[in-house]
Amino acid sequence: MALLETFVVVLGVAVVAALAVVAKTRLFPVEEDEEPREDVAEYIAMMVSVLYAVVLGLCLVSVWDNRASAADHVQAEASALHQTYLLASSLPEDRQGPLRAAARSYADHVVSVEWPRMAAREPLDASGWSLVDRLRAAGEVRETTSVSQQIAAQEILAQIGYVDDARRGREAAAQERLSPVLWTGLIIGGALTLAFMFLFGIRRSFTHMVMVMGLAGFIAFTVLLIHQLDSPFGEMLGTSSEPFTRYFAVRDSPA
């Protein structure tokens, strides 16, 4: 509904402006001997270009920040999981194997199951959180263990807490999308910028054609770049699962 309301407001403002121009030309017609003026058209073209550059910058900053945040969460999650795996050696022997197996299962699930879903922009199910609960259960020790082992168990639970927090951030980053309002401004602004460059300012020549082609290609490249960065776990520019595969031998890990 917000997108529709925005479109209606923009269209309404444009219609009011058009009516104002029609009223002005009828009430104050141009004299026959008055020379046509190009400065107003050039000013409008310049303003459209400047505003479009602002929209482009805002879109790029937004998608890049989300992509960088996703990479930070992945690195923190994998590092905390690796620390959990290493700290397993400080637990009683009967607890070391289950904790390490739980850590390997979690890493395998993230890379082999969740990563393709995030790349395809599909929501994640609750199976990953079940593996986090399994990690917590495997890291618990009996009260009869030594003081050093209990301290190690507390550190393990703290690291699992970091895994939990980083996982929440990763899931949030996977669902974050560029606002439809910004996408609308991106497309309409690009079309207006090209239209004004085609209509005003330069004579119809080979130079004009090359400039329009270059600007059109650059705008298309920028829009495609924003589209790729808007998928923080995509195959082309998204963050990779390398922090997990660096620490754990994961089967069928994506490239």
Side-chain angles (χ1 to χ4, degrees), residues 167-226:
R167 177 182 175 82
R168 293 180 190 277
R170 172 168 61 85
E171 286 190 346
Q175 298 300 319
E176 189 72 22
R177 294 292 179 268
L178 189 65
S179 169
V181 175
L182 288 178
W183 272 117
T184 302
L186 200 62
I187 302 301
I188 295 179
L192 287 176
T193 301
L194 290 175
F196 278 116
M197 185 175 183
F198 180 79
L199 294 174
F200 303 111
I202 305 177
R203 295 181 180 272
R204 280 36 172 187
S205 63
F206 178 76
T207 302
H208 185 196
M209 181 186 67
V210 171
M211 293 184 68
V212 171
M213 289 176 59
L215 180 61
F218 182 74
I219 289 176
F221 168 79
T222 307
V223 172
L224 290 175
L225 176 64
I226 292 173

Side-chain angles (χ1 to χ4, degrees), residues 57-85:
L58 182 61
C59 292
L60 281 171
V61 169
S62 177
V63 295
W64 181 257
D65 284 349
N66 187 45
R67 196 268 184 198
S69 176
D72 291 341
H73 289 310
V74 170
Q75 181 61 50
E77 185 180 8
S79 178
L81 186 66
H82 184 236
Q83 289 298 317
T84 301
Y85 185 90

Side-chain angles (χ1 to χ4, degrees), residues 1 17 29 32 72 78 83 87 111 117 130 132 134 163 199 210 217 238-239 241 254:
M1 182 60 68
E32 293 182 358
D72 291 341
Q83 289 298 317
L87 287 170
V111 176
R117 292 181 181 177
S130 298
V132 174
R134 177 184 169 188
V163 172
L199 294 174
V210 171
T239 183
S241 58

Side-chain angles (χ1 to χ4, degrees), residues 87-167:
L87 287 170
S89 60
S90 301
L91 297 181
E93 292 185 1
D94 62 331
R95 307 302 300 167
Q96 295 178 12
L99 181 58
R100 288 172 176 167
R104 285 192 296 267
S105 297
Y106 181 82
D108 182 82
H109 178 78
V110 169
V111 176
S112 303
V113 178
E114 294 186 343
W115 220 269
R117 292 181 181 177
M118 293 188 298
R121 299 186 177 184
E122 297 177 356
L124 303 181
D125 55 26
S127 56
W129 290 109
S130 298
L131 291 174
V132 174
D133 293 337
R134 177 184 169 188
L135 270 173
R136 286 197 180 91
E140 295 177 352
V141 296
R142 296 184 297 271
E143 295 182 356
T144 56
T145 56
S146 64
V147 174
S148 60
Q149 290 173 341
Q150 292 181 8
I151 294 175
Q154 292 298 321
E155 178 61 25
I156 288 172
L157 292 178
Q159 293 297 327
I160 296 175
Y162 298 149
V163 172
D164 187 299
D165 291 340
R167 177 182 175 82

